[in-house]
Structure formats: C-alpha cells, structure tokens
Amino acid sequence: MFELVSPYSATPAQQQAVKQIVEAFQGGRERQVLLGVTGSGKTFTMARVIQDLGLATLVLAPNKTLAAQLYQEFRGFFPRNRVGYFISYYDYYQPEAFVPQRNLYIAKEVSINPDLERLRMEAVRGLLESRFTVVVASVSAIYNIGSPDDFYRQRLSFHRKSPLSREGLIHDLVNLGYQRSEGMINAGGLRVRGPAVEVFPTSEEYPLRFVISGDGLAVIEFFDPITGETREELDRVDIFPVSYFHYHGERVQTTVAQVLAELEAREAWFREHGRADLAERLAERTRFDMEQLAQFGHCPGIENYSLYLSGRRSGDPPFTLLDYFPRPFLTIMDESHITIPQLRGMYAGDRSRKLKLVEFGFRLPSALDNRPLRIEEAEARLDRVLYVSATPAREEIHAAGKNGVIELLVRPTGLLDPRVEERRVENPVHDLVAEIRTEVDKGYRVLVTTLTKRMAEKLTAFLAEQGIRGTYMHSEIKPLDRIRILQQLRGGEVDVLVGINLLREGLDLPEVSLVAVLDADREGFLRSERSLIQTFGRAARNVDGRVLLYMNDSTDSIRSAIRETRRRREYQEEYNRRHGLVPRSIRKAVRNFHDDSWWVEKTAIESDSEIRDGESLDQTIQELEKEMRRRADALDFVNAARLRDRVRRLKNLRLELF
C-alpha cells in the first residue's frame, strides 16, 4: 500500500478536501477539480488523496522544473513506494524536418541524457511491477514509446541458485539488446570477467554482477562500476530490454518485410507522379534503415517504424506511458489550466512537420503513426482525473460537473490572499520607486511585471540609476542564471525582480511583500483574469503581501480577478476566526536549487560556481568523466569514485534545469 511519510499534520480544510475527493472517486465520479490557492498545501493534499485512494497515479506537470519539484516532494512523501520521473530524455533536441521553400533538409540531432533515460525506464518498470507507484511526467506521457506487453514479455527473471550457464546468460542478455564491451561498463553494456557476467540495465543506477558456479547462479549483486565493490546482494532480479523499441527474431523479420512492401508501393506512387528523384531518395534511406534493423535489431529513427514493430494498424493510437498504468489509475493534472492546452497542441505541431517529410520523400507515410496522442485519445485512456489549479479553466470545471469543484482556499499559516489596489497616477514608474523604497526599508522584496522584454530591461536600468538593486528575468535568461537570480532575490543581494510571464505559476518567494503590475489594463493573455490571479499569488506568502495595479481604466479581467480575490480573503478571514489562526509569513531557508533534491547529496559545489550555462556544464561533465576513467584505469579508485560522485551531482543539476 501507499505509505505517506510527512512531518505535517493535515489541517481540517485539507482533511475535508481529501475526504470529498476520495469519496467522490470511489462513488464513481471520473473528473474533479481541486481549486487550491497558493500556499494551501496542494501537493500534501494530493499525496493524501493518493494514499487514501490506493491507485497507481500519474502526476502531469506543465514543465520540467515543476516536474522536478513535484518528483522531489512525492519521493519525500512516499519514500517506501516507487516514485518515477518521466520527461523528455533529451538535453538537446532538433527534430527531423524539411523546409520546402528553401529546399532545406534538417537532420535529426539529439543529445540524450542517460540519467533521464534511466529514470524513464525505471518509471515504466515500476508501473509494470507494482500497483503502488507514482509517476511524475511532462507531456512526454502522450508520446509513442512502444507496447507495454512486448516490453514486459521480453524481460528475463533470474534467481540465485537457479541452473544457468555463462554462455546461456550472455546469449539471453544480447537478445535483450545489451552490447558486449571490454572497458568501463556503461548503461546498456555487457562485460564478461571469468566466471562473472556483468550487465548494466538501462533501468538501474548501478550494474549487476552474476557469478556462475558449477551449473547455477551463485551470486547476484549490484556493484560500483568504479571500485567494483558490492553494493547490494539479491536473491532474484528482473532485467528488461535495453529500450522500449527493442525487438529481435520473427518480429524484426516481419517488420522489415512490411516496410519494404510499403516502400515499393510508395516508390511506384512517386514515379507515377513524375518524382523519380523522391522515389530514389526514399528508397536509399529506407533500405539502409532496414539493413541495420535486420542485422542489429535497431536503427536510427526506429520509432518511425513503430507501426509495424508494435503490430498496430494505420491510424491506431500509439502506445504511450498511459498504457503502462494498471487499470484503474488516478491522474493528477497540476496547473491544469496550462497542462491541458499543452496536451492539446502536441499532435498538430508534430503532424505538420512530418507531413512535409512524407510529401518530399524523406519518410514513409507510416511514419505519421509515430506521433503523440490527440487530446481526445488521451482523455479516453484516463480513468479518474483530478485537475489541480488556483485558476482552473472553464474546460476543467465543465468536465467536473455539478459539485465536482473542491475548494482549498485556506492556508495552514493562516495567510490571506494579498490586498489588491487599483492605482491611477500620472507617472507610474516614479510612484513605483517610492513604493519599492518603502518595502525595501522593511527588509522585503518586490516583483514587478511588465509586458515586454525591452520594457523589463529599461525599467531595471532606471531602477539602478535610482540606487535600487534590481535585475530582470525573461525567456532569454538561461535556466542556470534564472535559479541564481531567484537565490539572489531571496538572499537579499537583489531587492527587485522585473519580469514578464515568468513571475506567475510555481514561484515560492516568501520574502516578497509587493507585486506591482504595470499596464494592468492592457487586456490580453498577460493581463487576463487567470494570469492576474496567478500573479497576485506571488504576494500570498507574506503576511504583509499586497498588489498594486497601475492602470488608467479598469477592465473586465481586473474586476473579475479582484472580485475573486476578495471572495477568497473573506472566506479565509472567517476560517481563521473560527479556528483561532493568526496569519504568519512563511519561513523557508534559502538554499541552492538542488539542495532539496532526494537524488543529490547535500554538498556544496564551490568549484562549479563558474558554470554559466548548459554548454559549459556539459563540457565540465565530459572532462570529469574522462579524468574519472583515467583514474579508474590507473587503479586509483578512491579519486575515481570522488570524481564519479561529482559527475553525478552535475548531471542531476543538468537534469533539473534543462
């Protein structure tokens, strides 16, 4: 069963919300909304729902950073259960594309993060082996990853003392796609050392060593790939294929025959339409792929042939992470007002790009079946869904139906939603400067939202001229630098942060007492009712939190956002009176971004402080890995292990930020 571990006790409001949600799902309701304000303990409430409902759970997040934070939190809440992390495993991804207007073919170019790949494999393995599993995922959850039945059926199970020959073990592992090597063993590798056969499963953090004595297995153990020391002895273990798309034998032969048959028909079509050049291009590329697939069981872009490999019919939905969940299961869509539009947009963009590749002879038409799910296909595969947002959209509210919206409007700290003031002045910037000085004198911080990057940069420069320590943050600021900026703001090195759309969902800044919105009456996405309420929430972690809306005239969005905020404040004030709560600001230590991660040692990396972006981070990792292998070859295992630990910390830092 799910075992929730937490230093927190549920508040009466959280207990009531959990009770309503669980009882409704158990009573047959399929869709519900948890409308939770900032700081109300939504994640803890989600964990309580998971525990009480007892179903395998998919937590969908709208971006990698939020997914990483949720993964950390759920691992803390469920340390004795399986918690998986499933996002795109690319550090860099340039999809294959063709631009007809310029006759420009862009080859697929990727850089795969092996740690993310392992976590993805670990997540699906957890779902296949235990019902009590939570997987935190991004929109990658609706992309094609191959059949769960095929993946599970190909696994190998080993028991200590079971009869097994070394040659038989090697043969079985090779059939799963593991490749033999003689040097340092890496994920997907297989190495033979006398009576020992070592394999590094792609779903494990450490390699396995099998020691054969006589006619059977004497030892099964995880070991350190650097020092060779035993980490854990096992009585049994399952090993899964090296990837979701690994096949061999009859399945590969059948696929090759089907692909070549489609190729022949497509070649004939191109020639009939006077495009022999496209027929030749397609034939050359496809036949090369099939030669590799037949010989090695794999080829570049193998996912483009997944229609045949997975035994689907044209037009059938692909197999995705959703198919790996045991039925019934729970889906929690965090920040659902963002997540649902993201899910909806994936199919159209993917298809538009692939149609050009098919039309101009770079891919067979069957490549179109390597795709994400349509939103209606994804919805059909979900059982029970809990939409979680401080500002749910009409779509979620409509799906939940009557009595399907559960409100969590109060905070354990008793904090109220911030006071909102409409301010009409002739010179907003000069008025803002005075307000900033007042807050800074109290030891607080200020957020300012603008409409454009240029405006954010110019305002920051003007604040500097006034002697105010400020900086800006927008989409052109690199991920590592964004984290440092937020740390500087919380630590008091910076007093004012100016931004655009980044200062909304997910920012936890208890030192911020004032949020100022410039051009609040410029109605649009950045000044919609939902965006304004999310922006107001950035001041909801501080007992003195307030919001200033600089404007000339009010708008429907402003009036609606203020009306909803006042409703919540009145509810919160009444709740505090009934329960004797006195509002208090949140106190939260300022730490490095990765300090709270359960997969990173809590060790400062002073020597890495000069790393400024992803490119320099990758370069540092490569240099350290090279030195690690050199030390290992020289039998300097102590220093090799230290370098290994530093590489792991840096890879985990990259994993969270990119």
Side-chain angles (χ1 to χ4, degrees), residues 191-356:
R191 187 171 63 184
V192 179
R193 291 285 186 271
V197 177
E198 299 170 350
V199 61
F200 204 146
T202 48
S203 61
E204 300 289 354
E205 187 175 2
Y206 292 98
L208 281 163
R209 179 186 290 130
F210 296 91
V211 179
I212 298 175
S213 178
D215 295 329
L217 273 175
V219 175
I220 305 174
E221 62 186 14
F222 284 113
F223 69 95
D224 190 307
I226 300 294
T227 65
E229 295 176 350
T230 300
R231 296 191 65 90
E232 181 185 359
E233 293 188 4
L234 307 171
D235 287 324
R236 65 176 302 277
V237 70
D238 289 342
I239 298 181
F240 284 77
V242 73
S243 77
Y244 314 110
F245 293 111
H246 178 76
Y247 296 96
H248 60 89
E250 185 178 344
R251 182 70 65 87
V252 169
Q253 296 171 8
T254 302
T255 295
V256 170
Q258 290 173 317
V259 169
L260 293 178
E262 184 187 4
L263 171 62
E264 184 177 347
R266 188 63 173 167
E267 280 187 281
W269 188 91
F270 275 132
R271 295 185 191 282
E272 288 173 8
H273 289 78
R275 297 308 306 267
D277 56 329
L278 301 187
E280 292 175 8
R281 171 192 290 166
L282 182 63
E284 181 180 354
R285 293 168 58 86
T286 307
R287 292 184 189 282
F288 177 76
D289 285 348
M290 291 304 98
E291 288 174 5
Q292 288 201 308
L293 183 62
Q295 185 172 356
F296 304 111
H298 197 275
C299 68
I302 189 173
E303 64 275 6
N304 288 295
Y305 307 106
S306 62
L307 175 70
Y308 302 119
L309 285 167
S310 58
R312 292 181 288 133
R313 294 175 299 178
S314 182
D316 285 351
F319 294 106
T320 68
L321 177 65
L322 305 184
D323 296 293
Y324 285 75
F325 277 84
R327 265 55 179 175
F329 70 98
L330 172 67
T331 298
I332 297 177
M333 290 195 188
D334 198 32
E335 303 294 356
S336 58
H337 63 285
I338 304 175
T339 305
I340 291 177
Q342 280 191 340
L343 295 174
R344 180 175 288 107
M346 294 299 103
Y347 173 79
D350 182 83
R351 185 171 180 83
S352 174
R353 175 178 58 82
K354 287 196 174 117
L355 279 172
K356 291 290 187 294

Side-chain angles (χ1 to χ4, degrees), residues 20-32 49 53 330-331 383-386:
Q20 288 179 268
I21 292 168
V22 171
E23 288 182 352
F25 277 138
Q26 290 175 338
R29 186 180 286 274
E30 295 183 348
R31 301 291 187 270
Q32 294 188 76
V49 169
L53 205 55
L330 172 67
T331 298
D383 294 316
R384 295 153 176 81
V385 180
L386 179 63

Side-chain angles (χ1 to χ4, degrees), residues 625-641:
E625 286 182 329
K626 183 177 179 180
E627 178 64 13
M628 176 184 71
R629 289 184 172 85
R630 190 184 70 79
R631 298 266 187 174
D633 291 341
L635 305 183
D636 183 4
F637 296 125
V638 173
N639 284 314

Side-chain angles (χ1 to χ4, degrees), residues 9-26:
S9 297
T11 65
Q14 291 170 340
Q15 290 174 353
Q16 180 64 21
V18 171
K19 183 174 183 292
Q20 288 179 268
I21 292 168
V22 171
E23 288 182 352
F25 277 138
Q26 290 175 338

Side-chain angles (χ1 to χ4, degrees), residues 246-502:
H246 178 76
Y247 296 96
H248 60 89
E250 185 178 344
R251 182 70 65 87
V252 169
Q253 296 171 8
T254 302
T255 295
V256 170
Q258 290 173 317
V259 169
L260 293 178
E262 184 187 4
L263 171 62
E264 184 177 347
R266 188 63 173 167
E267 280 187 281
W269 188 91
F270 275 132
R271 295 185 191 282
E272 288 173 8
H273 289 78
R275 297 308 306 267
D277 56 329
L278 301 187
E280 292 175 8
R281 171 192 290 166
L282 182 63
E284 181 180 354
R285 293 168 58 86
T286 307
R287 292 184 189 282
F288 177 76
D289 285 348
M290 291 304 98
E291 288 174 5
Q292 288 201 308
L293 183 62
Q295 185 172 356
F296 304 111
H298 197 275
C299 68
I302 189 173
E303 64 275 6
N304 288 295
Y305 307 106
S306 62
L307 175 70
Y308 302 119
L309 285 167
S310 58
R312 292 181 288 133
R313 294 175 299 178
S314 182
D316 285 351
F319 294 106
T320 68
L321 177 65
L322 305 184
D323 296 293
Y324 285 75
F325 277 84
R327 265 55 179 175
F329 70 98
L330 172 67
T331 298
I332 297 177
M333 290 195 188
D334 198 32
E335 303 294 356
S336 58
H337 63 285
I338 304 175
T339 305
I340 291 177
Q342 280 191 340
L343 295 174
R344 180 175 288 107
M346 294 299 103
Y347 173 79
D350 182 83
R351 185 171 180 83
S352 174
R353 175 178 58 82
K354 287 196 174 117
L355 279 172
K356 291 290 187 294
L357 293 169
V358 172
E359 182 182 351
F360 289 91
F362 292 96
R363 288 292 172 193
L364 291 168
S366 58
L368 295 172
D369 287 287
N370 169 43
R371 60 175 176 84
L373 295 173
R374 300 184 184 94
I375 186 65
E376 59 271 17
E377 293 171 336
E379 285 282 354
R381 280 156 178 73
L382 301 179
D383 294 316
R384 295 153 176 81
V385 180
L386 179 63
Y387 304 107
V388 179
S389 174
T391 55
R394 290 187 182 90
E395 181 176 355
E396 298 103 271
I397 294 173
H398 176 74
K402 185 178 180 181
N403 301 322
V405 178
I406 312 302
E407 293 189 332
L408 188 59
L409 301 182
V410 296
R411 302 175 174 89
T413 57
L415 280 170
L416 308 177
D417 272 36
R419 292 172 287 114
V420 182
E421 178 187 342
E422 300 174 82
R423 184 163 292 188
R424 298 170 176 83
V425 294
E426 188 173 333
N427 195 320
V429 173
H430 283 90
D431 185 82
L432 174 61
V433 168
E435 292 288 349
I436 290 172
R437 294 192 194 282
T438 299
E439 300 305 311
V440 171
D441 288 343
K442 297 176 185 176
Y444 291 147
R445 317 285 186 271
V446 178
L447 299 182
V448 182
T449 68
T450 67
L451 286 174
T452 66
K453 298 175 186 177
R454 179 64 175 159
M455 191 186 305
E457 294 171 2
K458 290 180 68 174
L459 178 58
T460 303
F462 177 77
L463 294 177
E465 293 173 2
Q466 305 302 308
I468 295 174
R469 298 180 304 171
T471 188
Y472 60 84
M473 186 167 73
H474 52 58
S475 60
E476 293 181 12
I477 303 299
K478 296 182 182 299
L480 279 170
D481 291 329
R482 294 182 200 174
I483 302 305
R484 290 195 183 90
I485 287 170
L486 295 178
Q487 290 172 351
Q488 290 169 355
L489 182 75
R490 296 203 59 211
E493 300 174 52
V494 172
D495 294 317
V496 182
L497 179 56
V498 185
I500 306 170
N501 195 33
L502 299 174

Side-chain angles (χ1 to χ4, degrees), residues 591-611:
R591 297 170 176 167
N592 289 333
F593 181 77
H594 55 282
D595 278 354
D596 291 331
S597 171
W598 276 268
W599 64 59
V600 180
E601 294 90 341
K602 293 174 174 54
T603 306
I605 312 175
E606 293 86 356
S607 57
D608 300 323
S609 60
E610 295 182 359
I611 295 174

